[in-house]
Amino acid sequence: MARTGRPRAFDEHQALTRARDLFWSRGYAATSVQDLVDELKVQRGSLYAAFGDKRNLYLKAVALYAQENRERLEAMLGAGPVLPVLRRMLTEPASLTGAQEGVERRRGCLVGNTTAELLPRDEQAGTLVAAAFEAFIQTVAAALRRGQETGEIATTATPEAQAHMLLMLFQGAALVSRAQPAHDQFVAGIDAALDALREH
């Protein structure tokens, strides 16, 4: 009879969520395996058995983050006017990233942070990032297409081109927000960009 082994004594999804938050706060290089062992409260051997090495755990954490963000974005853009949702997403990046109050709201976007830290040298990370960006573009383009049909969004560019612009704007906003810019100036910049999308 094949041995099934002892069941792991921890919740893997909960452990992955904690790892995601630790990597998100500190970055990949600055997070040690011992940091993960301490934060996840698991034995080193159990960590390796469940997730492999640190890099593999990081990639799984980024994949989880990207999936959660796509689900959150789809829910936000599900119905109704598009521009107010886009404005909230851009002026409050944490509304999409899911960061909580306080310093967590200044962690930026984990996908963007991964881009800055690991690309272009890490091919697997690059594949994850590209998939996350493409999911953003597809989801936002679908909402913009709906907005063009209702007369809310300008038809001077394709929804895909507009979504690419918003991806770059969101990533920039998530990065700039980490520096706690003057709120009025930050919002004014977002409003100026969104005005190009509005049907006049």
Side-chain angles (χ1 to χ4, degrees), residues 10-47:
F10 64 95
D11 184 316
E12 287 189 28
H13 181 76
Q14 183 181 67
L16 184 58
T17 299
R18 288 183 176 179
R20 175 206 63 198
D21 290 344
L22 188 62
F23 283 128
W24 192 6
S25 295
R26 298 188 183 184
Y28 175 72
T31 303
S32 68
V33 173
Q34 189 58 51
D35 291 333
L36 291 162
V37 167
D38 293 341
E39 177 67 21
L40 276 55
K41 297 178 173 54
V42 299
Q43 297 297 316
R44 189 175 293 243
S46 297
L47 186 68

Side-chain angles (χ1 to χ4, degrees), residues 3 13 19 21 47 49 53 62 64 74 80 98-100 108 164 187 195-196:
R3 296 179 60 189
H13 181 76
D21 290 344
L47 186 68
D53 60 14
V62 174
L64 172 64
E74 288 173 344
Q100 302 303 310
H164 272 88
V187 172
D195 192 55

Side-chain angles (χ1 to χ4, degrees), residues 4 6 92 123 166:
T4 59
R6 292 190 308 171
E92 302 174 35
E123 186 175 340
L166 288 166

Side-chain angles (χ1 to χ4, degrees), residues 169-191:
L169 191 58
F170 174 77
Q171 287 298 328
L175 179 64
V176 171
S177 68
R178 298 179 67 173
Q180 291 187 303
H183 183 69
D184 290 347
Q185 295 175 7
F186 182 73
V187 172
I190 296 300
D191 284 340

